[in-house]
Amino acid sequence: MSKNMMNWISDLFPLCRSLTGLGTQKTLSYFEKINPELKRISFKTGEKVFDWEIPKQWNIKDAYIEHENGNRYAEFSKSNLHVVGYSSPIDKIISKNELFRHIYTQADQPDLIPFVASYYENNWGFCISENEKNNLPDGNYRVFINSELVDGVLELSHAFIKGINDKEIFFSSYICHPSMANDNLSGPAVLNAILKFVKEEFDNLRYSYRFVLLPETIGSIAFLSKYSEELKKKLIAGFNLTCVGDERAYSHIKTRAGNTLADNALSAALIDLDNVITYSFLKRGSDERQYCSPGINLPVCGFSRSKYEEFPEYHTSADNLNLITQKGLEGSFSIIKNIILAFEQGLYPQTKVLCEPQLGKRGLYPNIGQKDKYDKIKTRWDFLAYADGKTNIFEIAKLINKPLKEVNDEHQLLKTYGLV
Ligand code: ZN
C-alpha cells in the first residue's frame, strides 16, 4: 500500500492548491477515491470558528506579467508558485516601479521562485526568481490575474475507523500548498498510506483511528470547532504529518507538554535511526499549534523527515519531485506503522509468570550459557523485566534502548509462547 505514494504525489503535484478552491477540492477528491472512508466536511465563507472566520473561496484560472514588448513573465501556466496565494483579480498597465512593489523574490536563493501567500488581506502579487527580477527590462507592464474571491466553502476530509476500544489514534496533514512536494504533498500521501494500512491490515482493530486532511491553521481550527470535545475524551495519541518525503533526517516536534503518549511513541520509533532531531514545542509551526493550544491540549506531536523551515528548499520551487523519494516516504510510513503495531499488539505488556520464565525449555534461550550468547537475548530478558502491565511498550523501548520494531517483534514472539 505504501508503494503508490510517489505516484499519488506526481499526479497531484501540478494542481494549484490553497486554503480553498478548485485545486484543493480536486486534491481531496483524489484521496477520497483512494480511501472512500474520507468524507468531506464544509464550512461556509463567513462562518465563525473560534476566533477566526472562514475566508472567501479563492479560484484562479490564469495569471502573468506582460512587458510592453510582448514578453511574458511569471506565467501561472508554467508554475503556480508565480502568483501570490489568494491574489485578488487585476488587469492593469503599470510602471516597472509599481510592479516591483508587487514582486516577491528570495534574494539569498536567486535562482528559485519563493512560495508566498496573503490569505487574510486584500492583496495581489507575483513571485519570480531574484535573477529574473534583475533582468526585467525597463518600460510598462500589464499585470493580469484571472482570479476570483467569492462566497463559497472551506473544505476538509475526515475519516474515522472504529476499533474495539473508544480510545483513538489521530493523524492530521494539510493540503493547502501549491506545487511543492515535501511541504506539502508528502504528508497527505503518507497519511493515506497509513489509512489504507489500518483498514486492510487488521481483522479487529484494538483502537479507533481518525484521519484528517485540511488546509493548515484555519482548517484545523475549523475542525476543532466541531470535534474538540469529542477528541478531548477519546484521543490518546496524535501525529501531525508534514515534510515526510526526503531522506535527510527524522524530526520529532514535541507536544506542548513534551512527554505525552504521542511523544513517547514517536521517540521510541526513532531509536537507533540516523540523524534524529528532536525539537521543542517552541519550534512548532504546523497544526500542532492548534491541537496543543491551551484549553484544547490534545497529545498531538509533529513528525517530519527534514522539518519545515529547516531545509533549504523549503517554500521554494526547489521543493519539487526531485527532493522526495519513495524510500524517504516509506521510511516515514514504517515509523508510523511500527507505532500502530505497538498499539495493536497491546500497549501494556504483562508477563504471565512470576520470576524469570525458563526460556530454555521453550527454545527461547541458547542451550549453552556463554557470555557472548547473552547479547542476543538481552532484548528478550530486558523486555520481560519491564513487562509489568504498567509500563507501556514505548517506555519499555526507551528503557531498554531498542528500536520499536525490534521490541514489537519480541512482544509478538513472547505472546506466541504465552509468556506475556
Ligand atoms: Zn508550508
Side-chain angles (χ1 to χ4, degrees), residues 31-229:
F31 285 122
E32 287 159 359
K33 278 204 191 82
I34 291 163
N35 286 306
E37 295 78 8
L38 284 166
K39 304 287 183 210
R40 200 77 63 94
I41 302 176
S42 299
F43 296 82
K44 286 200 176 81
T45 298
E47 201 175 330
K48 288 279 273 178
V49 287
F50 293 130
D51 200 40
W52 295 57
E53 198 173 286
I54 301 298
K56 295 221 181 236
Q57 183 174 322
W58 185 60
N59 300 314
I60 177 158
K61 290 199 180 107
D62 197 14
Y64 51 80
I65 301 168
E66 191 176 78
H67 186 254
E68 58 192 21
N69 69 13
N71 283 348
R72 283 189 180 179
Y73 304 89
E75 290 176 84
F76 179 77
S77 59
K78 292 191 178 153
S79 167
N80 54 41
L81 293 176
H82 278 313
V83 179
V84 170
Y86 260 71
S87 279
S88 40
I90 193 156
D91 186 1
K92 197 174 151 189
I93 310 286
I94 58 173
S95 69
K96 188 178 169 185
N97 263 349
E98 194 183 345
L99 174 67
F100 270 28
R101 286 202 289 276
H102 293 274
I103 286 203
Y104 299 84
T105 65
Q106 190 72 36
D108 58 344
Q109 295 173 300
D111 295 329
L112 306 181
I113 311 166
F115 164 49
V116 180
S118 176
Y119 301 126
Y120 299 102
E121 272 174 52
N122 203 3
N123 222 330
W124 62 270
F126 289 92
C127 305
I128 58 175
S129 71
E130 176 73 11
N131 289 340
E132 185 164 36
K133 181 185 175 186
N134 292 335
N135 288 323
L136 286 176
D138 290 338
N140 288 328
Y141 287 84
R142 178 185 178 199
V143 285
F144 176 71
I145 299 176
N146 182 5
S147 66
E148 56 172 13
L149 284 155
V150 294
D151 285 346
V153 285
L154 177 137
E155 294 177 293
L156 54 96
S157 269
H158 172 245
F160 184 71
I161 313 281
K162 177 117 189 61
I164 295 161
N165 196 324
D166 247 10
K167 299 292 176 207
E168 60 179 68
I169 325 295
F170 173 67
F171 297 95
S172 178
S173 190
Y174 54 89
I175 38 80
C176 55
H177 288 34
S179 296
M180 287 179 291
N182 202 31
D183 185 16
N184 76 224
L185 282 170
S186 65
V190 170
L191 180 141
N192 275 276
I194 296 164
L195 206 176
K196 264 177 104 59
F197 172 76
V198 163
K199 71 183 187 193
E200 288 169 6
E201 188 73 11
F202 304 94
D203 293 331
N204 289 301
L205 283 166
R206 193 186 281 253
Y207 288 93
S208 299
Y209 291 83
R210 192 187 296 268
F211 300 83
V212 284
L213 292 173
L214 35 70
E216 203 174 20
T217 307
I218 183 73
S220 53
I221 291 170
F223 172 67
L224 286 168
S225 76
K226 261 200 158 123
Y227 285 92
S228 62
E229 289 310 313

Side-chain angles (χ1 to χ4, degrees), residues 12-41:
L12 292 167
F13 189 78
L15 296 177
C16 183
R17 278 163 293 274
S18 189
L19 299 184
T20 61
L22 197 61
T24 308
Q25 290 167 342
K26 280 186 181 165
T27 303
L28 291 176
S29 299
Y30 183 93
F31 285 122
E32 287 159 359
K33 278 204 191 82
I34 291 163
N35 286 306
E37 295 78 8
L38 284 166
K39 304 287 183 210
R40 200 77 63 94
I41 302 176

Side-chain angles (χ1 to χ4, degrees), residues 243-256:
C243 307
V244 283
D246 72 332
E247 296 178 24
R248 291 175 288 198
Y250 288 95
S251 304
H252 171 189
I253 301 102
K254 286 193 170 194
T255 62
R256 191 162 59 98

Side-chain angles (χ1 to χ4, degrees), residues 392-405:
N392 75 48
I393 191 85
F394 307 118
E395 290 166 331
I396 293 177
K398 290 167 78 168
L399 281 164
I400 71 178
N401 197 29
K402 291 287 177 200
L404 186 59
K405 179 172 186 329

